[in-house]
Amino acid sequence: MGDMVNLVIAYTVMIGLLAAWSWMLGKRLLELLSRLEVIEGNEDE
Amino acid sequence: MSRRLVISGLSLWFLGLVLACITLILGLVWTPSVDNETMNAPAAQRIFYWHVPSAWASMLAFTCLFAGSIAWFWKRSEWGWKLHVAAAEAGMVFGLMAITSGPIWGHAEWGVAWDWTDVRINTFGILTALSAYLVIARRSQPDGDDTRDTFSAIGLFGFALVPLTYMATRWWQRRHPGPVVGPGGGGLEPSMATTMWFGVLAFVILFVGLLLIEWSILNAEQRISKIQTKMDGDV
């Protein structure tokens, strides 16, 4: 049983790390793309 | 900024995630359980299917970090710097995955989470800490040649630990298991080997996806900074 708990904890931690990093990257990329769109729009004007 | 780069990065990242999930399912359901005589913690052994691929992906990232650092020093190459930054982030994420899952497995299998006398475990820990330092430190420093030189120097000298980490279990094996595939490898049951290689493929695709997304972010940051400088100049 304790053995299984270790397995669950390890995969939870690894999935958590991947998910957190994916979310942070995606958020940053979207923020920058929308900011770029606004700035490029202003530049054209 | 290239829209194709963004789409390619996101597609590869998503594909890598799907393949990594399939690896996890194969590792939990399809592969046979090791017996109690071979290992003390047969269930925790299944941590292997993400632990090894994430460690390999981080070594690939550390190698790219080294290549990027050389390119920056040698040619003042912009792509070299971008490769350095993107590889440091990927190395940190995959390194953290290996460095957190390893001690959990170690605790179950050996009864101790960390062995300070095992070279493989400690050099890998230092490599992960180094990439984490590069990621955090870069965000707190203004971008410029001096900053890039300092961080690239750390990337260059830190790479010395990569071959050392790779060879450590061959030269001074203490607690971390030796190689299971390749020259001198102990060998794996076919379904276990298939699942492991599938995992390696998944994490390499994840790594490339992450690298392209980071690259897109750096391109966007530079483009914004360039436009803002130009607009400030016009005012």
Side-chain angles (χ1 to χ4, degrees):
Chain A
M1 183 63 191
D3 188 17
M4 191 60 88
V5 172
N6 283 301
L7 177 70
V8 172
I9 293 173
Y11 275 111
T12 306
V13 170
M14 288 194 281
I15 290 168
L17 275 166
L18 256 184
W21 200 255
S22 304
W23 182 75
M24 276 168 61
L25 270 187
K27 191 168 164 259
R28 176 108 186 98
L29 184 64
L30 284 177
E31 270 173 14
L32 283 169
L33 289 179
S34 60
R35 212 169 127 202
L36 191 61
E37 205 173 323
V38 172
I39 289 178
E40 280 179 334
N42 288 344
E43 191 193 27
D44 291 341
E45 284 169 21
Chain B
M1 197 183 65
S2 167
R3 190 171 288 270
R4 217 165 67 180
L5 189 70
V6 177
I7 293 169
S8 305
L10 290 174
S11 309
L12 284 172
W13 180 247
F14 183 71
L15 176 66
L17 282 179
V18 171
L19 294 180
C21 288
I22 295 173
T23 306
L24 179 57
I25 294 165
L26 289 176
L28 294 179
V29 178
W30 185 54
T31 56
S33 182
V34 290
D35 57 57
N36 280 321
E37 285 171 17
T38 315
M39 296 196 112
N40 297 322
Q45 181 275 332
R46 293 177 193 273
I47 293 172
F48 169 84
Y49 300 108
W50 268 29
H51 174 77
V52 171
S54 61
W56 285 12
S58 68
M59 295 296 254
L60 186 62
F62 298 142
T63 307
C64 290
L65 173 62
F66 175 69
S69 302
I70 285 187
W72 168 254
F73 265 125
W74 191 21
K75 296 211 165 176
R76 291 291 187 216
S77 148
E78 195 55 38
W79 70 260
W81 175 246
K82 284 179 188 167
L83 184 62
H84 167 102
V85 172
E89 301 220 356
M92 182 187 76
V93 180
F94 293 124
L96 280 174
M97 286 177 74
I99 216 79
T100 49
S101 58
I104 296 170
W105 186 8
H107 180 262
E109 181 62 30
W110 309 322
V112 288
W114 195 273
D115 184 345
W116 292 103
T117 62
D118 188 292
V119 179
R120 159 68 67 87
I121 295 172
N122 289 289
T123 51
F124 190 84
I126 295 170
L127 273 169
T128 305
L130 205 77
S131 56
Y133 168 76
L134 289 173
V135 172
I136 295 164
R138 187 185 74 88
R139 292 180 182 196
S140 64
Q141 297 294 319
D143 191 17
D145 283 3
D146 290 343
T147 307
R148 292 183 179 195
D149 284 346
T150 308
F151 293 152
S152 295
I154 295 170
L156 274 179
F157 290 110
F159 182 76
L161 289 173
V162 171
L164 191 68
T165 304
Y166 179 75
M167 294 306 292
T169 51
R170 290 169 173 84
W171 291 340
W172 315 282
Q173 192 194 356
R174 287 185 67 91
R175 203 179 283 273
H176 191 285
V180 287
V181 290
L188 276 176
E189 193 274 336
S191 65
M192 293 168 95
T194 306
T195 307
M196 190 206 77
W197 285 115
F198 197 79
V200 170
L201 175 73
F203 276 78
V204 168
I205 292 173
L206 261 177
F207 165 70
V208 178
L210 178 57
L211 213 64
L212 295 182
I213 294 171
E214 290 285 355
W215 207 286
S216 307
I217 288 175
L218 289 168
N219 282 347
E221 281 175 348
Q222 284 184 349
R223 177 99 180 103
I224 288 170
S225 162
K226 213 176 265 180
I227 294 173
Q228 275 178 338
T229 310
K230 192 181 156 212
M231 285 166 83
D232 289 347
D234 290 344
V235 174

